Amino acid sequence: PMSTASTASASSTYVTSAANAGAKAAAAAATNTTTSKPSSASNAMASGRTKDLPPLPPMIAYDPDRVAPVDDGRRAELIRNAQLNAELLNGWKILPHQKSGVLRGLKMRRFILAFDMGLGKTLVGCVWGKAFKS
């Protein structure tokens, strides 16, 4: 077992070594910006040469025909169930951009909601989910 003095000494040596290593790395980065090479895939993406990359599997490749709205005759029912113009239980009304998000989600039956922070993503998701409640 190490004594308290040797433990403190070892700790300060480690901290000093780590600080020196950090300073050396910062100096190297400042003088030489090519210390690490990006992967060939990121080079191909950056240069627009996607032909160098292997094709995506068909299950995850973008296909505009697979991203069409769902038309099963339930859209009107779902919109009615969402009650977009009704006052919510807490007295709020959803805003136009939120209505648009809910309608888009109901039309597609799926969506990635990417509003900025504070614009009501949770509220949109809740109203969208309420539409599917029987």
Side-chain angles (χ1 to χ4, degrees):
M2 293 180 128
S3 70
T4 308
S6 62
T7 304
S9 174
S11 294
S12 67
T13 302
Y14 173 76
V15 170
T16 304
S17 299
N20 288 340
K24 287 178 184 176
T31 59
N32 183 8
T33 58
T34 59
T35 54
S36 66
K37 288 187 157 191
S39 69
S40 61
S42 64
N43 280 340
M45 296 287 284
S47 67
R49 297 179 325 214
T50 54
K51 65 182 179 188
D52 296 343
L53 300 174
L56 290 172
M59 288 182 63
I60 62 171
Y62 175 72
D63 179 4
D65 295 330
R66 289 183 23 203
V67 189
V70 174
D71 190 14
D72 62 358
R74 290 193 60 212
R75 190 177 306 158
E77 174 193 353
L78 291 171
I79 292 171
R80 199 171 34 256
N81 289 349
Q83 301 172 348
L84 296 174
N85 294 319
E87 194 173 271
L88 300 174
L89 295 176
N90 61 0
W92 296 353
K93 291 188 82 96
I94 66 172
L95 300 171
H97 72 278
Q98 295 166 330
K99 285 182 187 179
S100 172
V102 171
L103 288 171
R104 175 70 182 216
L106 292 174
K107 177 181 173 185
M108 302 300 285
R109 300 293 160 77
R110 63 206 176 277
F111 65 118
I112 296 174
L113 194 53
F115 290 156
D116 285 333
M117 184 172 59
L119 293 180
K121 294 180 291 292
T122 303
L123 184 62
V124 169
C126 290
V127 172
W128 180 77
K130 179 175 80 172
F132 292 94
K133 187 177 177 185
S134 310

